[in-house]
Amino acid sequence: MGQDQYTFQDPVKRYPSIEPPKQDQPEPGLDKELVPQTDRGEDSYRGTGRLEGRKALITGSDSGIGAAVAIAFAREGADVAMSYLPEEEEDAKVVAELIEKAGRKVVQLPGDLTDAATCRQVVQQAADGLGGLDILVNNAGRQIAVEKLEDLSDEQFDRTFKTNIYAFFWIAKAALAHLQPGSSIINTTSIQAYMPSPTLLDYAATKGAINNFTKGLAQQLAPRGIRVNAVAPGPFWTPLQVSDGQPKEKLPEFGKSTPIGRAGQPTELAPAYVFLASSESSYVMGETLNVNGGMPSP
Ligand code: NAD
Ligand code: MG
């Protein structure tokens, strides 16, 4: 391994300022087809034993941010249960192999999380497969841009809420049966929680809900020794963006309006999740860690 996340370097130049060509993938989109490809830490994330022996369930860990978190957690010493959609099997296989290559156990759990029973089953299978559970990363999400409120269908509104917030509730609730003191729940929210795009009304509303749910649940579970926090990414280059997450014409300038001047690469988010999962953040609760290239956030 050459450079890793600890190498002293200029963050502006750590990755090129990409100009993704216009492209389109059917939802949910595959990392495999993304142009340009992303850095999820395959050749750059170095573990230092921060999650030794831990057992993590990560939703949406086949691609993008979830994949980067899965790779990082495995290299930090955690076994990982991966949740993703059945049509993402190819992407999931690549990540599963990297987890095994790190010497850790992997459990693959394809299933649609818009269904409550599936959410409960995924949690049970994760706990059975790993022999327990002490980290939950609620990260699966969908984002479909729609220009006009008149065109935002009831079906889309419902599916976005089911995926992005109902599933977080169903999964966290089911996970409680397995989480002992010391455990950590981390929810992926977004800068959209405070700076909603006019084309992402349903999506941004779910992200506001995730922030709020995180802060409430954190207070409820603090006395039980279970910490709940959130990570709020800015613009990260992932398959979400090319499966109608952004209007097509906006792709070439994706991430350029941030103070750092470029989109983030998924592995640049991994350390935030590692920090919140690890016992080193024992006094951090109900926090939203913003990782967004410098956009002012509350
Ligand atoms: P991604 O497409 O790689 O990951 C999203 C994953 O969600 C998919 O891989 C899929 O496995 C999962 N998913 C979607 N619908 C599902 C369903 N019904 N059942 C089960 N799994 C389902 O994209 P990403 O950008 O890595 O997204 C991960 C999280 O980050 C999402 O919550 C997203 O809202 C959030 N986020 C992303 C950005 C960004 O710029 N990429 C910014 C802020 C927040
Ligand atoms: Mg995916």
Side-chain angles (χ1 to χ4, degrees):
M1 196 179 279
Q3 296 214 326
D4 59 41
Q5 77 271 31
Y6 298 114
T7 307
F8 181 73
Q9 59 192 319
D10 179 350
V12 175
K13 297 183 186 139
R14 181 175 175 195
Y15 292 102
S17 180
I18 54 168
E19 282 176 21
K22 285 181 199 170
Q23 56 198 292
D24 191 21
Q25 288 192 45
E27 193 187 357
L30 291 178
D31 252 343
K32 187 177 141 275
E33 310 283 346
L34 200 58
V35 183
Q37 287 280 297
T38 64
D39 187 355
R40 301 169 310 168
E42 297 92 328
D43 300 315
S44 61
Y45 189 92
R46 177 161 64 93
T48 57
R50 293 165 73 191
L51 301 175
E52 210 59 63
R54 304 287 299 271
K55 301 171 195 305
L57 167 61
I58 309 171
T59 66
S61 48
D62 57 295
S63 60
I65 294 162
V69 173
I71 292 166
F73 277 18
R75 291 189 184 170
E76 297 291 356
D79 294 331
V80 179
M82 300 177 60
S83 149
Y84 52 89
L85 284 164
E87 51 267 48
E88 298 175 304
E89 194 62 46
E90 257 187 291
D91 270 358
K93 194 165 163 263
V94 175
V95 178
E97 280 168 8
L98 286 165
I99 293 168
E100 283 180 335
K101 222 176 138 198
R104 307 311 313 185
K105 185 168 190 178
V106 64
V107 178
Q108 291 181 240
L109 302 170
D112 187 337
L113 301 178
T114 58
D115 174 59
T118 305
C119 287
R120 289 191 276 271
Q121 197 183 353
V122 160
V123 170
Q124 189 59 51
Q125 289 174 338
D128 289 346
L130 299 179
L133 201 61
D134 52 47
I135 302 171
L136 166 62
V137 179
N138 270 320
N139 167 75
R142 78 188 291 264
Q143 172 184 327
I144 307 288
V146 176
E147 299 286 339
K148 291 163 70 184
L149 184 59
E150 293 91 324
D151 297 330
L152 177 55
S153 69
D154 293 0
E155 291 72 24
Q156 159 152 345
F157 193 84
D158 188 54
R159 191 166 172 84
T160 303
F161 270 74
K162 287 270 162 55
T163 311
N164 295 10
I165 180 74
Y166 275 68
F168 282 32
F169 157 65
W170 288 323
I171 293 170
K173 188 168 156 180
L176 277 184
H178 307 280
L179 303 178
Q180 70 280 31
S183 298
S184 172
I185 298 176
I186 306 164
N187 298 322
T188 302
T189 178
S190 169
I191 181 87
Q192 289 287 330
Y194 346 101
M195 289 176 62
S197 296
T199 53
L200 295 176
L201 299 182
D202 52 337
Y203 176 85
T206 64
K207 294 302 180 179
I210 292 168
N211 263 356
N212 192 285
F213 180 68
T214 300
K215 289 183 192 303
L217 187 62
Q219 295 174 73
Q220 189 183 116
L221 296 185
R224 292 163 65 173
I226 300 169
R227 296 180 302 106
V228 187
N229 291 286
V231 176
F236 280 78
W237 185 233
T238 71
L240 190 86
Q241 308 298 348
V242 301
S243 45
D244 289 330
Q246 298 287 332
K248 304 266 161 291
E249 65 280 5
K250 291 209 171 146
L251 287 180
E253 69 212 55
F254 182 71
K256 289 201 186 297
S257 65
T258 55
I260 196 173
R262 64 169 177 83
Q265 292 292 330
T267 194
E268 295 185 277
L269 268 165
Y273 290 82
V274 170
F275 168 70
L276 293 173
S278 152
S279 298
E280 71 202 293
S281 59
S282 56
Y283 210 67
V284 182
M285 300 177 179
E287 172 65 345
T288 300
L289 194 41
N290 293 283
V291 183
N292 66 24
M295 288 184 280
S297 40

